[in-house]
Amino acid sequence: MIEKLVRSCPEIKRIYLLIRDKRGKDVKDRLTDLLEAQVSLIHAPPSMGYNREFASNLLFWCDCEQIFNRIKSQKNGRQVLEAKLRAIKGDITLPKFGVAKDDLVELAQEVSIVFNSAATIRFVEPIDVAVRNNIYSVSQLVEFCDELNGLQALVHLSTAYSNCHKRDTIHEIFYEPPMRGDQIISAVNSLKRIQDEIHLYPSIEGQLCEQDEVGEPSRSACKPQTFYKRDRSVPNRQNVTSDLLDEFTRIALRRSNRPNTYTFTKAISESYLLDLIKLRPERYLNEKIPVAIVRPSIVGGAWREPDVGLVDNYNGPTGAILSLYTGALQAMPGRGERIADLVPVDMVANMLLCTGWHLVNERCGRAESTGASKQPKRDRGAYVFNFVSGNRNPLRWHQVTDLIADLAYRYPSKMLARLPSSYFIRAGQLYEVYDLLNHWLPARLSDFARGVLLRQELSGRSSALVAYSRIRQMTETLTPFTSNEWRLNDANVCALYERLPSQDRQLFQFDVAMIDWNEYIRNYIIGSRIYTLRDEARNVPAALATLRK
């Protein structure tokens, strides 16, 4: 998204990025690392040179790595990046994001649009971490935005699955959350405080001793008395808190009918944002600062920009695709006939930017003269956009696995674990048996042969059983989305696209009906191989030879 703005909106004065210190590096070093990221491109389409006055300054909250090769390849490209991008030290879990006073003064005068995409996207994040990053951060977002004198629009990124408990059509409206934001923040904090209120004894006097041959207690056989046998030890403070939070998580997910803490906290964060801005009617909603929530479905690799198939992480379906492609995973739990509601990451970026454009036009009273008959509709004063593909251009999961199986044998990876196999088995007892025989057992035998027979030292990286456990966790996380499908209305998205000028539809394309899924999935698989696995095309002949053995 940042790369797209710098390349396609040259009149933007500056883009501020909120970045936290990490692994001993300050924010300037992390921004430098961001700009120095290098990969080998598959191809480089001609740059689009359309100039667009979008806004003077933008502020992003993000946790991502972008590739800026196309910009740096242009004349003075590196200088342009350094001039436009500025790192601001902060943390979304701190009051007002922990931004320094001097930085806050500058941002208050300069920033006109805020895009908030900061969140933890791990589906199985502990509840306290998910609440802190996805819900508490929303309250600090609003507190921070209150300081921005020049703010004209606020765009918040959520997920299309925030209301996945619904079995009828999910509309572009706000739904009743499973809990209120302030309630769950208070509940989680209370559970964490309990660990400081329970007095735990490091040891318990009194021994259970076995008798020796003469009937006397054997000192060597004495063992500490243990009343709580979880993990066969007296729990420490961390275990007590984990037990309480884990039990709270199970109850919350079961009662709210959510598959994981990510969708649970995202549902709450949407309504929490609405509650907070409604407490400030003099500043937000209606004729004041407009607010929008964008809900993308499953985000996949790039469709066209900054490069075809670009993906540099294992998030979303990428990990499953690569596991099937390399043979580490032989089959997925799910139903192949279900809709795979994928949206390319570059289309998500374009959708977010066009949402900001629409809000600024509304704020400034500028009507888009495109002849469009439809207008995005508000709900409770704010806009909601379901950015999905399954409604107008459905893709089935079996199409994805069929293409994986085809490419795995035509262009195999040098990182082949086993002969590739790619299909779906319905989740349940049948898949559990299959998983035991085809995944767990081979991994166990592999570790046994290498560790016992060959006497190799196995580490976390080299253990097949450790790799299996990670893949197992990934498949369990994805199973709700490969076994079910949802009807998501996207009328607001369609209306927004119709209101774009024709030149902007080309420059900021987000019409999912334009996607050729066969072409996209092939590029996605190849891009995952090149960018994520770092497995270059020149390795294909050797991999083919290995596959034929």
Side-chain angles (χ1 to χ4, degrees), residues 40 412 414-415 529-530 533-541:
S40 300
K414 70 174 183 180
M415 301 179 186
R529 171 205 171 108
I530 293 176
L533 283 185
R534 307 293 184 183
D535 186 3
E536 300 178 1
R538 63 184 179 184
N539 297 324
V540 169

Side-chain angles (χ1 to χ4, degrees), residues 165-185:
H165 65 295
K166 293 183 63 62
R167 302 314 303 165
D168 54 348
T169 301
I170 300 174
H171 293 280
E172 293 167 307
I173 61 176
F174 290 92
Y175 289 94
E176 187 68 21
M179 291 181 69
R180 294 294 172 186
D182 53 353
Q183 291 176 336
I184 191 169
I185 292 173

Side-chain angles (χ1 to χ4, degrees), residues 299-301 311-323 474 478 524 528 532:
V299 180
V311 57
D312 60 353
N313 58 70
Y314 291 91
N315 298 332
T318 307
I321 287 174
L322 290 177
S323 297
M474 174 194 65
L478 292 176
Y524 186 9
S528 300
T532 306

Side-chain angles (χ1 to χ4, degrees), residues 202-216:
S203 62
I204 299 176
E205 294 185 3
Q207 305 287 325
L208 293 180
C209 303
E210 299 176 1
Q211 291 185 341
D212 59 19
E213 296 179 357
V214 295
E216 294 294 332

Side-chain angles (χ1 to χ4, degrees), residues 92-93 97 116 118-119 131-142 185:
I92 62 172
T93 64
F97 291 162
N116 178 38
V131 167
R132 184 168 63 250
N133 286 275
N134 295 349
I135 299 177
Y136 175 75
S137 65
V138 169
S139 66
Q140 299 315 304
L141 166 68
V142 176
I185 292 173

Side-chain angles (χ1 to χ4, degrees), residues 500-544:
L500 290 177
S502 58
Q503 62 269 36
D504 281 355
R505 293 185 188 180
Q506 298 299 318
L507 187 59
F508 300 97
Q509 178 63 257
F510 62 88
D511 182 9
V512 294
M514 300 287 293
I515 302 174
D516 179 333
W517 287 119
N518 285 336
E519 177 186 2
Y520 171 76
I521 296 299
R522 288 177 184 275
N523 291 334
Y524 186 9
I525 297 169
I526 294 173
S528 300
R529 171 205 171 108
I530 293 176
Y531 298 120
T532 306
L533 283 185
R534 307 293 184 183
D535 186 3
E536 300 178 1
R538 63 184 179 184
N539 297 324
V540 169
L544 278 171

Side-chain angles (χ1 to χ4, degrees), residues 324-327 404-420 525-526 529 533 535-548:
L324 291 167
Y325 180 71
T326 58
I404 293 173
D406 176 56
L407 289 180
Y409 281 91
R410 291 175 59 192
Y411 309 106
S413 170
K414 70 174 183 180
M415 301 179 186
L416 277 178
R418 296 168 60 187
L419 287 176
I525 297 169
I526 294 173
R529 171 205 171 108
L533 283 185
D535 186 3
E536 300 178 1
R538 63 184 179 184
N539 297 324
V540 169
L544 278 171
T546 302
L547 192 62
R548 294 191 184 105

